[in-house]
Structures are given as C-alpha cells and as structure tokens.
C-alpha cells in the first residue's frame, strides 16, 4: 500500500537535520550554543534574552536567522558560517539508509534550512555523500527559510522538479504544509506521530520506511 502511494514519484526531497540523522545525535545542541552567542554579540543582550529571541524568531519566522534578518538587518553570511562551526565526530555512518536512498528510482536531493557546506559535512559523516544528485541550502532560496512556500518554489524551480511527481521527507511538520499544498507526497520523520491533513505518512525509522518504497 505505501509503495503504491509513491509509484508516481520522480524526485525525492529530504530535509537534513533530524531527518537524515537521528535526533539523538543532538547536533542542534551545538548549533544553538553558537546561535545564542551570536545573538548576544549582534544585539548586545544577555544569554537569557538571546535564548528568548532565538526561540521567538524560530517560531515566528521559521528560523532564528530569518528573524534576525527581518527585525535587525543581520547579514546572513557570517551568521551561517559561525553557527555551523561544530563537530561531526559523533555522527555515525548508516549503510542501510545509504543503500535504501540510493535504490530509489529517480532524482534524490537534500533541501535544508542550513547551508550547502554544512549539509555536505553532515552527509559525509553519515556516509551519504554519494547517494544524492543535488544539495540545496537556505542560500539557494535567497535566505528565505522553510516553511515559507516561496522558499520551496525557488529551490524547486532551481532544481527543475515537478512537485506533483515528488515526495518530501521532513522532521518539522510545519515544513510539510507547503509541499502538501504543492501536490507532493509528504512523510513526517519524527519519534511521535502527528495527525494532520498535510501529513500523508509518518515514520520513526527512515531507513526502514525508504526500503519499503523500493
């Protein structure tokens, strides 16, 4: 039944963070430390206020960066470089996931609210560098983040994919609203199931789920 739902798919779009590696890797623990410090320095606020703003901007604008750009005019380049200066040493290669994704028919791409260089580092650490045909970061959407539909439209136009013949794998349910509206099959990759019209499928084991589509 699940495989039939994807029989029309020609392009497979994967989010990166907490999708192509498990949340237990806790990369965002490192990133959030850098985010907080950057907000403190850029806005001259203490750690408590920086954490508050970071969370508020993520909820309101989709990413902390989007809020910093819109509200404070922060330059995205230095911010993105700094917050992604983290260690990838504890990420483990996942041969089962690599084999499953590589066997998918059609084009396979990564689309993240991080940057392409950051995504390349994560994919290398996970043993996934060779299985994707394209990697897109927030810079490819002019720093407009998911869940904004315009961000998806820019990246998809750049890639040339047809949303009606594509699928989106994503851990943040907000980021599946636009893909659903654009006609994509949507897969929520998360520990807990969330029932919503814009979520077509759920899995807490991406490798196993993808293997069922081959």
């Amino acid at each position: 039944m699940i495989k039939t739902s994807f029989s029309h798919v020609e392009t497979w779009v994967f989010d990166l963070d907490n999708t192509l590696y498990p949340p237990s890797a806790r990369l965002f623990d490192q990133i959030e430390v850098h985010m907080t410090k950057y907000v403190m320095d850029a806005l001259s606020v203490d750690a408590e206020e920086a954490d508050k703003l970071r969370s508020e901007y993520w909820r309101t604008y989709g990413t902390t960066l989007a809020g910093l750009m819109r509200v404070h005019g922060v330059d995205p380049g230095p911010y993105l470089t700094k917050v992604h200066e983290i260690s990838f040493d504890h990420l483990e290669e996942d041969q089962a996931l690599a084999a499953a994704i590589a066997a998918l028919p059609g084009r396979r791409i990564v689309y993240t609210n991080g940057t392409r260089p950051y995504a390349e580092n994560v994919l290398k650490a996970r043993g996934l560098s060779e299985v994707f045909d394209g990697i897109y970061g927030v810079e490819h959407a002019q720093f407009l983040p998911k869940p904004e539909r315009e961000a998806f439209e820019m990246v998809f136009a750049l890639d040339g994919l047809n949303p009606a013949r594509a699928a989106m794998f994503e851990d943040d349910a907000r980021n599946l609203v636009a893909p659903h509206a654009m006609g994509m099959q949507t897969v929520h990759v998360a520990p807990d199931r969330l029932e919503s019209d814009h979520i077509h499928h759920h899995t807490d084991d991406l490798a196993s789920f993808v293997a069922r589509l081959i």
Side-chain angles (χ1 to χ4, degrees):
M1 284 291 291
I2 290 179
K3 184 176 180 179
T4 301
S5 299
F6 293 84
S7 61
H8 65 293
V9 173
E10 298 175 343
T11 307
W12 310 83
V13 186
F14 292 84
D15 174 51
L16 182 75
D17 290 310
N18 295 331
T19 299
L20 289 176
Y21 64 81
S24 59
R26 305 191 71 83
L27 285 194
F28 257 87
D29 286 4
Q30 298 182 65
I31 293 172
E32 286 175 355
V33 170
H34 290 314
M35 285 182 176
T36 297
K37 182 63 166 60
Y38 201 96
V39 174
M40 290 172 65
D41 293 342
L43 306 184
S44 298
V45 298
D46 61 21
E48 182 178 359
E49 180 65 13
D51 268 335
K52 177 183 175 182
L53 290 173
R54 180 176 56 77
S55 298
E56 178 184 323
Y57 291 160
W58 180 83
R59 289 192 303 270
T60 304
Y61 299 106
T63 63
T64 298
L65 173 60
L68 291 173
M69 291 175 64
R70 294 191 190 189
V71 181
H72 305 282
V74 167
D75 182 353
Y79 170 91
L80 287 166
T81 297
K82 185 62 180 178
V83 302
H84 291 125
E85 290 178 346
I86 64 172
S87 171
F88 303 93
D89 292 345
H90 61 290
L91 285 180
E92 298 179 353
E93 292 191 3
D94 190 332
Q95 295 182 359
L97 180 59
I101 294 176
L104 289 170
R107 185 171 171 79
R108 304 171 298 275
I109 69 172
V110 172
Y111 173 29
T112 173
N113 272 341
T115 63
R116 176 172 176 164
Y118 166 69
E120 289 173 340
N121 285 331
V122 172
L123 295 177
K124 181 179 180 180
R126 291 285 282 159
L128 301 173
S129 295
E130 305 301 320
V131 303
F132 290 103
D133 302 294
I135 303 171
Y136 300 96
V138 68
E139 67 270 34
H140 295 103
Q142 300 178 21
F143 302 104
L144 188 67
K146 299 181 281 185
E148 298 284 348
R149 177 162 176 160
E150 186 180 352
F152 287 97
E153 290 173 343
M154 282 191 280
V155 168
F156 292 169
L158 188 62
D159 188 75
L161 70 83
N162 176 4
R165 301 189 68 81
M168 182 82 202
F169 297 79
E170 168 74 56
D171 73 295
D172 189 339
R174 298 180 305 170
N175 297 341
L176 291 174
V177 174
H180 163 74
M182 298 169 76
M184 300 178 75
Q185 280 289 306
T186 62
V187 184
H188 188 211
V189 184
D192 300 318
R193 180 181 297 274
L194 179 64
E195 298 295 337
S196 180
D197 290 343
H198 70 277
I199 297 174
H200 306 151
H201 309 275
H202 168 267
T203 183
D204 60 1
D205 183 344
L206 182 60
S208 176
F209 185 91
V210 172
R212 295 164 64 190
L213 306 180
I214 301 168

